[in-house]
Amino acid sequence: QKEVEQNSGPLSVPEGAIASLNCTYSDRVSQSFFWYRQYSGKSPELIMSIYSNGDKEDGRFTAQLNKASQYVSLLIRDSQPSDSATYLCAVNLRPGSARQLTFGSGTQLTVLP
Amino acid sequence: SQTIHQWPATLVQPVGSPLSLECTVEGTSNPNLYWYRQAAGRGLQLLFYSVGIGQISSEVPQNLSASRPQDRQFILSSKKLLLSDSGFYLCAWGLAGDEQYFGPGTRLTVT
């Protein structure tokens, strides 16, 4: 089993719809969870971080965390063509001084005009 | 604000040639620094990380090495490149929290 697993996609949604991206992780001691957006040919950009169970909203983005189920998700409301990118889930599986993150393989999202 | 630089942006090197990629961070002190590689269509693979000058930890045994000669400088090197070293090399920095912030990357093609 992969340590951080994402639906590989690709995921296509129409403009204005809600895009839902999912991620599961292997280690219950994980405390920090992140979503990165990576446009084709570019480096990943941090868009959301979440540390506590529940929802965290930032503009059109909502991150949801359920530590009991070892599940973190990203919802994008009112999806725009500019949201088309690969979304990477990252988890600190082994909390410690090195602050290492383990990344999922990413979900490619396409928002259709 | 903090800024991270990487150079060169693109590089084409023959098999067996040496490699030196540089990463510098501005606007912060004593950051944790990371080197990742992303092969085409693949996820991010952590290669090295550093918590301070001269302190390097390797995640994957290979023909690459890393050095941190100054607080905000991180260098990735190889004595002899392999075809399998091709990829997108990303430097990242982080502080006390777990967030990591990536530089623009270097796209390396080994021919």
Side-chain angles (χ1 to χ4, degrees), chain A residues 47-48 56-63 74-78:
Chain A
I47 56 172
M48 288 289 285
K56 179 182 177 182
E57 187 174 318
D58 184 0
R60 295 186 295 111
F61 298 98
T62 299
L74 179 70
L75 301 178
I76 306 174
R77 293 183 302 281
D78 188 24

Side-chain angles (χ1 to χ4, degrees), chain A residues 82-94:
Chain A
S82 58
D83 295 325
S84 298
T86 296
Y87 288 81
L88 302 171
C89 172
V91 180
N92 187 339
L93 290 175
R94 301 172 187 86

Side-chain angles (χ1 to χ4, degrees), chain A residues 37-40 81-87 107-111:
Chain A
R37 177 177 62 199
Q38 186 174 23
Y39 291 115
S40 180
S82 58
D83 295 325
S84 298
T86 296
Y87 288 81
T107 299
Q108 185 178 345
L109 171 67
T110 300
V111 180

Side-chain angles (χ1 to χ4, degrees), chain B residues 37 45-48 58-65 82 85:
Chain B
R37 178 171 60 202
Q45 179 186 33
L46 178 64
L47 301 175
F48 301 95
S58 173
E59 285 294 298
V60 182
Q62 55 207 331
N63 68 321
L64 299 173
S65 62
L82 307 173
D85 291 324

Side-chain angles (χ1 to χ4, degrees), chain A residues 3-4 30-36 44 46 48-51 88-104, chain B residues 32-36 43-49 59 92-102:
Chain A
E3 293 182 302
V4 179
S30 302
Q31 298 293 325
S32 308
F33 309 86
F34 307 93
W35 284 98
Y36 288 80
L46 178 64
M48 288 289 285
S49 57
I50 187 166
Y51 303 92
L88 302 171
C89 172
V91 180
N92 187 339
L93 290 175
R94 301 172 187 86
S97 61
R99 310 295 187 194
Q100 294 183 54
L101 297 180
T102 300
F103 286 80
Chain B
N32 293 333
L33 296 174
Y34 306 84
W35 278 113
Y36 290 87
L44 288 169
Q45 179 186 33
L46 178 64
L47 301 175
F48 301 95
Y49 66 92
E59 285 294 298
W93 71 273
L95 290 176
D98 292 338
E99 295 92 345
Q100 292 182 19
Y101 301 92
F102 287 88

